[in-house]
Amino acid sequence: MNSTVAIGVRVEPELERRLDQLALSLGKSRSTCVREAIALYVERFSGGEEARRQSQLIRQQTGSTHWSEQIPDWTDWTA
């Protein structure tokens, strides 16, 4: 049998409402949705996988192999 622990998390009322709606639409409990979200978050951001993914995206956009080079400021770019 799996052992679990309870943790407390404070969220804004709107986020709680949206979570409850999502859980209902998925046929899952609020706790199940939160557990799955935490598991995905931990998987994504542990082990440096996300950092490597971001570095690869920067390299593709800039053509540079140096992650520390500045990315152009596109804030004033218009389509």
Side-chain angles (χ1 to χ4, degrees):
M1 180 176 191
N2 290 338
S3 177
T4 61
V5 296
I7 60 173
V9 178
R10 295 186 186 278
V11 297
E12 296 79 12
E14 175 61 16
L15 182 56
E16 179 186 31
R17 184 189 66 74
R18 292 177 62 201
L19 174 60
D20 287 342
Q21 286 180 336
L22 178 62
L24 183 63
S25 72
L26 294 173
K28 298 180 179 184
S29 70
R30 180 195 295 179
S31 291
T32 298
C33 290
V34 171
R35 272 193 307 274
E36 290 174 359
I38 292 170
L40 288 170
Y41 187 90
V42 170
E43 179 66 28
R44 180 174 182 180
F45 292 107
S46 64
E49 293 302 316
E50 182 63 13
R52 282 190 282 281
R53 188 183 77 77
Q54 292 293 331
S55 292
Q56 184 178 22
L57 287 173
I58 291 169
R59 184 171 43 253
Q60 289 171 352
Q61 290 176 358
T62 65
S64 172
T65 58
H66 302 290
W67 64 268
S68 62
E69 288 185 17
Q70 292 292 331
I71 295 178
D73 179 12
W74 297 104
T75 56
D76 63 343
W77 184 81
T78 56

